[in-house]
Amino acid sequence: MKHGRIIGFLLVLLGLLLAAPMPVLAGDVPLPHPVKAVKGSQCVEPVDTMRREHMNFLKHQRDDTLRGGIRGAKHSLRQCIDCHAIPDPKGASKDRTVGPFCTSCHEYAAVSIDCFQCHTAKAEDGGKQSSRWRHKAGGENLLSELRTHLQGSTKEARP
Amino acid sequence: MNRLTDATRRKLLKGAAALSTLALAPGVMLVRPAVARETGKPATSNVRWGLLIDTAKCDAGCDTCVTACRTENGWTGHDRPQTDPQWIRKVTVTDKRSGAALSLPVMCQHCAEPPCVDVCPTGASMKRADGIVLVDKHICIGCRYCMMACPFKARSFVHEDVTDQKPHAPRGKGTVESCTFCVHRVDDGRMPACVEACTEKAGRGAMIFGDLNDPNSDIAKAVSKHVTTRIRADLGLDQGVMYRGF
């Protein structure tokens, strides 16, 4: 009888010990919630593909562009920034930056990237840096036409 | 890449053609190097980009090309001439006997046989198919062999942290860099910033940029008409940058 109680107590204790770590871990490190994109209704690839493969797309693209000279491709880093850069939440600066979006996940996954030591994380707003298309044909209309077109074809890319 | 519709492309091409010859002042014309390469297409060896500098039109008092390059590519210094980056510089050449002097800009000479590419241990120093010599900073380890190998002192090392880079010209500490012929502009069918400024801002037109392989280009015509020199031609590096008048 006495032994039975002790064994029962130990079993309950064991159960508690096993159960305890789960909620503690889950509570410690909240899952990342990347901020919503500022532009575009869809990413350049389906979202689940982007979550897993964006680093491969980017590294492939940088070789194609820098070494091969291929421009205006859909996995361009400048394009990511154009859609994913957000305005400063504190309002201290007028610029949109992509830092908060990329770091939200990278902090969670303990990834550190060096891309923004060289590449500006700021979006090219305000018309200071004229875009490729605007420059060439000199028309705002054409630019918006192209945007609509690009959005159309990203839709097609979805399965 | 997202293919453009035919209609959109036609419009782009038409726009480019209309812009392709700008009359700047009587007698001074700025001709675009070419129509922008089609989106998604790589650079090819059908094209060989070259630059011809007429020293007779260049002046020691003028550094418009240097300023234009700095503004375009964002390589501001820290007032430390020993270590500040320098993609293009003005050099004065003096004839010791007569004292006669010439002034000319020197930048990466975009060799067909680039020594910097030969010595690079990682493949970062590279020549694009169309002859533009670049540093692939993604794999540059900052060893600076290329700087030692270059006979023209054209390359710099970035010694300090960089902020506020231009979106089209990423730069960062610990890598080597040099003139890119403004590859982002050339791919877009525009002139390098120095060439544009020499004509538009300085009104000199001392620099002609274009495709040496295209017999109808201004540069190919000029090269076939006038005697041109390459710096240290004895090295046989077959530079894309040529000079006239010395």
Side-chain angles (χ1 to χ4, degrees), chain B residues 101-135:
Chain B
L102 278 179
S103 175
L104 46 107
V106 176
M107 69 295 285
C108 171
Q109 306 281 299
H110 299 275
C111 308
E113 308 286 344
C116 55
V117 174
D118 288 343
V119 299
C120 180
T122 69
S125 224
M126 53 158 288
K127 190 180 70 170
R128 234 170 64 147
D130 54 6
I132 302 184
V133 175
L134 295 171
V135 179

Side-chain angles (χ1 to χ4, degrees), chain B residues 6 10 34 41 64 144 162 168 180 183 186 197 200 215 239:
Chain B
D6 272 358
R10 256 197 311 278
K41 287 272 186 326
T64 307
R144 288 163 267 179
V162 187
H168 52 258
T180 65
V183 66
V186 172
E200 278 185 18
Q239 294 101 294

Side-chain angles (χ1 to χ4, degrees), chain B residues 75 84-90 153-156 177-179:
Chain B
W75 47 275
D84 280 346
Q86 190 183 51
W87 293 20
I88 174 173
R89 64 190 195 278
K90 284 299 294 289
K153 265 199 191 170
R155 286 194 165 176
S156 320
E177 57 185 15
S178 56
C179 156

Side-chain angles (χ1 to χ4, degrees), chain B residues 140-218:
Chain B
C140 172
I141 55 171
C143 74
R144 288 163 267 179
Y145 282 6
C146 58
M147 290 174 63
M148 284 181 264
C150 176
F152 313 108
K153 265 199 191 170
R155 286 194 165 176
S156 320
F157 180 73
V158 183
H159 286 265
E160 338 225 359
D161 283 319
V162 187
T163 51
D164 269 330
Q165 294 90 333
K166 306 282 178 193
H168 52 258
R171 321 179 38 241
K173 183 168 151 180
T175 56
V176 170
E177 57 185 15
S178 56
C179 156
T180 65
F181 262 170
C182 280
V183 66
H184 56 285
R185 285 172 152 252
V186 172
D187 283 348
D188 195 16
R190 291 187 287 147
M191 288 284 177
C194 56
V195 178
E196 189 178 283
C198 183
T199 305
E200 278 185 18
K201 285 221 183 87
R204 292 178 183 274
M207 300 167 115
I208 305 178
F209 179 83
D211 178 7
L212 292 165
N213 285 352
D214 171 5
N216 294 319
S217 71
D218 282 3

Side-chain angles (χ1 to χ4, degrees), chain A residues 62 66-72 78 117-120 122 124 129 132-133 135-136 142 145-146 149-150 153, chain B residues 1-5 11-12 19 36-37 39-40 42-43 123 128 136 164-165 168 170-172 187-188:
Chain A
R62 74 183 194 186
L66 201 157
R67 304 185 77 91
I70 294 174
R71 298 278 170 182
R78 286 170 75 180
Q117 282 173 24
C118 288
H119 291 265
T120 180
K122 283 186 204 154
E124 300 168 63
Q129 296 299 328
R132 175 183 167 87
W133 304 111
H135 227 280
K136 190 153 42 171
L142 192 64
E145 195 180 315
L146 202 72
H149 179 77
L150 290 179
S153 51
Chain B
M1 163 56 193
N2 313 289
R3 297 269 323 271
L4 304 178
T5 59
K11 263 199 220 165
L12 287 176
L19 281 174
R37 199 169 53 246
T39 301
R128 234 170 64 147
D136 182 349
D164 269 330
Q165 294 90 333
H168 52 258
R171 321 179 38 241
D187 283 348
D188 195 16

Side-chain angles (χ1 to χ4, degrees), chain B residues 92-95 98-103:
Chain B
T92 304
V93 191
T94 316
D95 183 331
S98 66
L102 278 179
S103 175

